């Protein structure tokens, strides 16, 4: 195909016809731009090296949901059933926490903050009676579960992400059973129960639309993705409880994850505080 005559090309650029037309098209595109909601389907893939030195790629389909709220609490029904002569409380359905107001109503104050607990109110208080919501990493569930189960209830409000719970189940079934029992017993309505003054929330971050990290680099491993997803859980609670006086803490023994948490939040006011046990 022969190129256009030089005179015609010079005339086009002299009049600025191409530049003006492109500018008009760009302006129309900006005016017609529509912000689409995040997709509710993802297909994450990961690479790993086998013992024989081969590269294995695993691909999974994951469906996301935007109606999971701020997590779930496992309720305990008042009815009982007899099993082997012993009366055992029946676990009821999970109760969803829809918004920040419902979350504040579910939180309890630590015993040192004045009394045996109660509903949280907006505005918080001083440093002594400030309530805290603790998001637990997988290493905390594996190696520091005694701190979460302590009768003193120093950590009264605990959030267990699904990612951390699945890793705990993969590495220790004993610790996994204790975490599940902690989630169940924290909703007990019996006043004499040692866990009646504790709030434990299960957060399904694996299928939550707001806690899906973007794979910006091919060097992102599955462990890095899991750590990033748990940090995004802390961001969700930090943004939801911003201005209420409730402190959000990411509890992790991974120094690298705590360092990345500070870097990702930048120099602005931190939504949550990364700390170790």
């Amino acid at each position: 195909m022969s190129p256009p005559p030089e005179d015609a090309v010079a005339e086009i650029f002299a009049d600025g016809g191409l530049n003006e037309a492109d500018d008009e098209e760009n302006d129309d595109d900006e005016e017609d731009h529509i912000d689409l909601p995040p997709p509710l389907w993802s297909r994450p893939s990961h690479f790993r090296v086998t013992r024989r030195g081969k590269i294995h790629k695993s691909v999974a389909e994951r469906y996301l949901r935007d109606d999971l709220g701020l997590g779930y609490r496992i309720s305990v029904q008042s009815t009982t059933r007899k099993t082997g002569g012993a009366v055992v409380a029946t676990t009821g359905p999970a109760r969803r926490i829809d918004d920040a107001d419902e979350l504040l109503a579910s939180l309890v104050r630590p015993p040192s903050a004045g009394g045996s607990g109660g509903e949280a109110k907006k505005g918080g208080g001083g440093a002594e009676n400030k309530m805290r919501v603790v998001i637990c990493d997988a290493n905390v569930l594996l190696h520091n579960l005694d701190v979460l189960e302590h009768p003193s209830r120093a950590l009264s409000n605990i959030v267990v992400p699904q990612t951390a719970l699945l890793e705990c189940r993969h590495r220790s079934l004993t610790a996994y059973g204790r975490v599940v029992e902690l989630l169940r017993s924290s909703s007990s309505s019996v006043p004499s129960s040692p866990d009646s003054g504790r709030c434990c929330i299960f957060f399904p971050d694996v299928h939550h639309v707001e806690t899906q990290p973007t794979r910006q680099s091919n060097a992102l491993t599955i462990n890095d993705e899991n750590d990033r997803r748990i940090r995004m859980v802390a961001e969700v609670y930090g943004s939801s409880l911003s201005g209420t006086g409730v402190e959000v803490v990411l509890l992790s023994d991974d120094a690298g994850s705590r360092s990345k948490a500070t870097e990702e939040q930048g120099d602005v006011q931190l939504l949550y505080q990364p700390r170790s046990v």
Side-chain angles (χ1 to χ4, degrees):
M1 181 177 181
S2 61
E6 296 181 358
D7 296 340
V9 175
E11 183 179 357
I12 292 175
F13 281 99
D15 296 339
L18 289 179
N19 295 335
E20 293 179 359
D22 292 341
D23 294 340
E24 292 178 359
E25 292 180 0
N26 293 334
D27 294 340
D28 294 339
D29 293 341
E30 292 179 359
E31 293 178 357
D32 297 340
H33 177 71
I34 300 177
D35 294 331
L36 298 177
L40 299 181
W41 179 82
S42 65
R43 193 178 182 184
S45 60
H46 303 92
F47 295 89
R48 65 181 181 89
V49 181
T50 62
R51 294 181 179 180
R52 296 184 178 181
K54 297 182 179 180
I55 298 178
H56 179 75
K57 179 181 179 180
S58 60
V59 182
E61 292 186 358
R62 183 175 298 161
Y63 293 91
L64 310 178
R65 298 182 58 175
D66 56 358
D67 59 346
L68 298 178
L70 294 175
Y72 290 80
R73 293 194 66 185
I74 301 177
S75 61
V76 179
Q77 295 179 351
S78 58
T79 58
T80 57
R81 56 185 176 85
K82 293 185 178 180
T83 302
V87 179
V88 182
T90 304
T91 302
R95 182 173 60 86
R96 183 180 61 190
I97 302 176
D98 293 323
D99 50 21
D101 293 334
E102 189 173 349
L103 176 61
L104 288 171
S106 302
L107 299 180
V108 297
R109 294 185 180 275
S112 59
S116 57
E119 294 186 355
K121 296 182 179 180
K122 291 186 177 181
E128 297 181 356
N129 60 349
K130 177 182 292 186
M131 291 184 297
R132 293 179 176 87
V133 176
V134 179
I135 289 85
C136 298
D137 200 356
N139 48 53
V140 176
L141 301 181
L142 290 170
H143 307 295
N144 299 280
L145 194 54
D146 294 337
V147 178
L148 306 180
E149 296 176 336
H150 199 273
S152 64
R153 300 192 297 276
L155 302 179
S156 303
N157 305 299
I158 302 172
V159 178
V160 180
Q162 183 180 359
T163 299
L165 187 61
L166 292 177
E167 185 175 351
C168 180
R169 184 183 64 177
H170 176 71
R171 299 178 59 180
S172 175
L173 288 177
T174 302
Y176 170 76
R178 292 171 60 184
V179 175
V180 173
E181 184 61 28
L182 183 64
L183 289 171
R184 290 182 64 256
S185 59
S186 64
S187 301
S188 176
S189 59
V190 181
S192 60
S193 174
D195 297 305
S196 59
R198 183 183 287 115
C199 174
C200 289
I201 301 173
F202 171 76
F203 191 89
D205 58 296
V206 176
H207 299 282
H208 202 290
V209 69
E210 296 184 8
T211 55
Q212 302 303 316
T214 57
R215 298 182 59 85
Q216 300 177 354
S217 174
N218 293 330
L220 187 65
T221 63
I222 187 171
N223 292 330
D224 296 335
E225 183 176 341
N226 291 339
D227 293 340
R228 172 58 181 152
R229 185 177 289 112
I230 293 176
R231 294 194 298 270
M232 295 182 72
V233 174
E235 292 178 3
V236 170
Y237 278 90
S239 59
S240 300
L241 296 175
S242 178
T244 61
V246 179
E247 182 182 10
V248 179
V249 177
L250 173 62
L251 199 62
S252 175
D253 287 339
D254 188 353
S257 181
R258 296 197 305 269
S259 177
K260 290 181 180 179
T262 305
E263 294 177 0
E264 291 169 354
Q265 297 184 80
D267 299 331
V268 298
Q269 184 179 2
L270 300 181
L271 295 176
Y272 63 95
Q273 299 290 336
R275 297 178 183 176
S276 60
V277 179

